[in-house]
Amino acid sequence: MKKLILVLLILITAKALNAKDMDNDNGENKGFKKENVFLGGSISLGFGSGSFGIGANPEVGYSLSKWLDAGLVFNINYLSQNDYYYNVKYSSFNYGG
């Protein structure tokens, strides 16, 4: 099932990349446009009783059409917790895409 969804997603993306722009009167394919590239992301910061967390999620993408975007996101998160009752310290560093 996962393979079928992946294949369908790839086919839809390929079709959108090859699709002609409907706003173009002469029917020519416009190709890659720098103004369709976008950057974004988010940052997070959290405090609590014995806990601390910080993270960042940078993002870069490309608008394929008015209703479809494709992009990449990288996740970086750090979490630290202290349990004063049991005198235990815990920290983790997580990353992913």
Side-chain angles (χ1 to χ4, degrees), residues 46-54 77-94:
F47 299 96
S49 179
S51 66
F52 170 75
I54 190 168
N77 295 300
Y78 173 77
L79 176 65
S80 173
Q81 295 179 329
N82 294 327
D83 187 349
Y84 298 114
Y85 184 75
Y86 293 107
N87 197 21
V88 175
K89 294 183 180 182
Y90 170 79
S91 67
S92 78
F93 178 75
N94 301 313

Side-chain angles (χ1 to χ4, degrees), residues 38-54:
F38 61 89
L39 300 174
S42 65
I43 56 173
S44 62
L45 181 63
F47 299 96
S49 179
S51 66
F52 170 75
I54 190 168

